[in-house]
Amino acid sequence: MAGTPERRAAQPPRPGRQRRAQLHPGAWWLWSLSLGTAATRTTNPLLLALLVSVSAYVVATRRPDTPWSHSYGAFVKLALAVILIRLVFAIVLGSPVPGTHTLLTLPELPLPAWAQGIRLGGEVTAEALTFALYDGMRLATLLICVGAANALANPSRLLKSLPGALYEMGVAVVVALTFAPSLIADVQRLRAARRLRGRPDSGIRGLLHVGLPVLEGALERSVALAAAMDARGYGRTAQVPPGVRRTTAALTLGGLLGVCAGTYGLLTAEGAAYGLPVLLAGLAAALAGLKLGGRRSLRTRYRPDRWDVRAWLVVASGVATAALLALAAARDPAALHPGVVPLVAPALPLWPAAAVLLGLLPAFVAPDPKELS
């Protein structure tokens, strides 16, 4: 009876086994950032909608039941707000895109000579709004991909996996990322409390009565977090010789400059000869700087996360999507950037769409959080 499948299913998994079965959080971030990179390669609304659908399906199937996993909806709302703001800017400030299909004409305000080139009001054309919609959708897709990583990856486990030289910066980033779910939970709790008391929870008055306690709670939580981190020794570093510190700073700064110069060379036609060697030299110098910088960190790792085959598959699916879309943008830019003058309906290019569907692989190879709980 002890070894039957029913008995094994009834027993909760041991912590060590559960930890080994989870996917490395860095794999989720690399997968999401790769999808975001793919989104920057196109303004085709059909491909962008497909990227959003892929990230939403993976989040729906592999999202754990944790406080940070509910932040995906907030990122979707933020993305919709970005699209709306982009359209409002196109209507109010105009657009350099010419157009012949005038939708409405707003009163145009005269501006002084020093504001030449800026327009307030005037004609609003369908071509300008379509261009603004495509541009806003690209940024919105990038935000949703970041939201997917925030919902799937455990921030504390990601912090444990960072190199020692990046630990302090990682602490700041993780604290900033976990701030959004706590803020959303506070807003929901306060709105529910006001509804139970029969008081309004929307409008300007409701926003003021909810926003101020949320801000006060965020400040109190920040002070308590700072005190707890100081008591646990965060921010304390080991003593290293001055020569090592100077060498670390020179390698890190020089390496980052080399990465920037090499990337610029690869993106321009004039720098094709020196771009790759400078990029590789910059990467080597930056990695050496990070290795030396790790000597200042005093912390140790308890049961570090394993980077297994599933993590490689998840990262490979995202990188393949980004690489194939970059290749498609170079070979057929008209398909990935549909024109707005003249105004035509966008078409779905087949093999770039198939490349986007490669991003669904984590939904099948990553461990199911329901089986681990």
Side-chain angles (χ1 to χ4, degrees):
M1 185 65 184
T4 60
E6 293 80 5
R7 185 65 176 272
R8 288 197 298 269
Q11 294 176 349
R14 291 177 298 177
R17 179 185 174 187
Q18 183 179 5
R19 180 184 55 80
R20 288 193 298 270
Q22 293 176 345
L23 192 70
H24 196 287
W28 284 126
W29 271 100
L30 291 176
W31 171 80
S32 302
L33 293 178
S34 298
L35 291 189
T37 303
T40 62
R41 299 293 90 189
T42 178
T43 55
N44 190 317
L46 300 179
L47 286 177
L48 293 174
L50 193 59
L51 277 170
V52 172
S53 302
V54 166
S55 71
Y57 182 78
V58 174
V59 169
T61 55
R62 291 298 179 264
R63 178 173 57 181
D65 187 15
T66 52
W68 62 83
S69 63
H70 300 288
S71 61
Y72 185 73
F75 277 91
V76 173
K77 294 177 182 176
L78 178 62
L80 294 177
V82 166
I83 296 176
L84 182 62
I85 292 172
R86 183 67 179 86
L87 290 176
V88 170
F89 274 28
I91 293 173
V92 176
L93 300 178
S95 174
V97 177
T100 57
H101 298 80
T102 304
L103 299 178
L104 71 158
T105 303
L106 297 175
E108 187 169 357
L109 299 178
L111 296 176
W114 54 266
Q116 189 176 8
I118 302 176
R119 194 191 73 183
L120 286 178
E123 291 186 348
V124 179
T125 63
E127 290 85 350
L129 282 184
T130 305
F131 178 79
L133 177 64
Y134 291 174
D135 197 37
M137 284 186 66
R138 180 166 57 177
L139 181 56
T141 305
L142 182 59
L143 285 174
I144 290 175
C145 291
V146 174
N150 204 25
L152 292 168
N154 186 331
S156 61
R157 290 174 51 218
L158 177 65
L159 182 62
K160 288 171 58 179
S161 305
L162 286 176
L166 299 177
Y167 186 69
E168 294 178 0
M169 185 177 66
V171 169
V173 173
V174 169
V175 169
L177 290 176
T178 53
F179 174 76
S182 302
L183 192 67
I184 295 169
D186 284 350
V187 171
Q188 292 175 345
R189 178 174 52 81
L190 288 171
R191 290 187 66 186
R194 289 186 64 81
R195 283 196 297 270
L196 290 175
R197 294 188 180 98
R199 296 174 181 174
D201 63 329
S202 59
I204 300 298
R205 187 177 178 183
L207 180 64
L208 291 176
H209 284 85
V210 172
L212 289 178
V214 168
L215 180 61
E216 182 182 359
L219 290 175
E220 291 178 354
R221 197 162 45 243
S222 301
V223 173
L225 178 63
M229 292 175 67
D230 183 64
R232 287 169 172 80
Y234 281 86
R236 297 172 188 173
T237 57
Q239 294 294 330
V240 293
V244 175
R245 291 203 302 269
R246 286 192 288 270
T247 304
T248 302
L251 285 175
T252 306
L253 183 60
L256 293 178
L257 290 176
V259 170
C260 294
T263 305
Y264 177 78
L266 290 177
L267 294 177
T268 58
E270 294 81 6
Y274 68 85
L276 185 59
V278 173
L279 177 62
L280 294 178
L283 283 175
L287 290 176
L290 292 178
K291 182 71 175 177
L292 279 179
R295 295 184 180 182
R296 299 180 67 231
S297 178
L298 297 172
R299 69 190 181 94
T300 58
R301 295 179 184 176
Y302 177 67
R303 291 180 176 178
D305 288 307
R306 298 172 57 190
W307 190 280
D308 55 7
V309 177
R310 294 172 303 179
W312 282 114
L313 290 175
V314 169
V315 174
S317 68
V319 172
T321 301
L324 290 175
L325 278 194
L327 180 63
R331 290 193 171 186
D332 191 7
L336 270 69
H337 299 279
V340 295
V341 182
L343 197 60
V344 294
L348 181 65
L350 292 181
W351 75 266
V356 173
L357 293 179
L358 289 176
L360 285 173
L361 186 62
F364 304 99
V365 301
D368 190 352
K370 296 177 183 176
E371 296 179 356
L372 299 177
S373 60

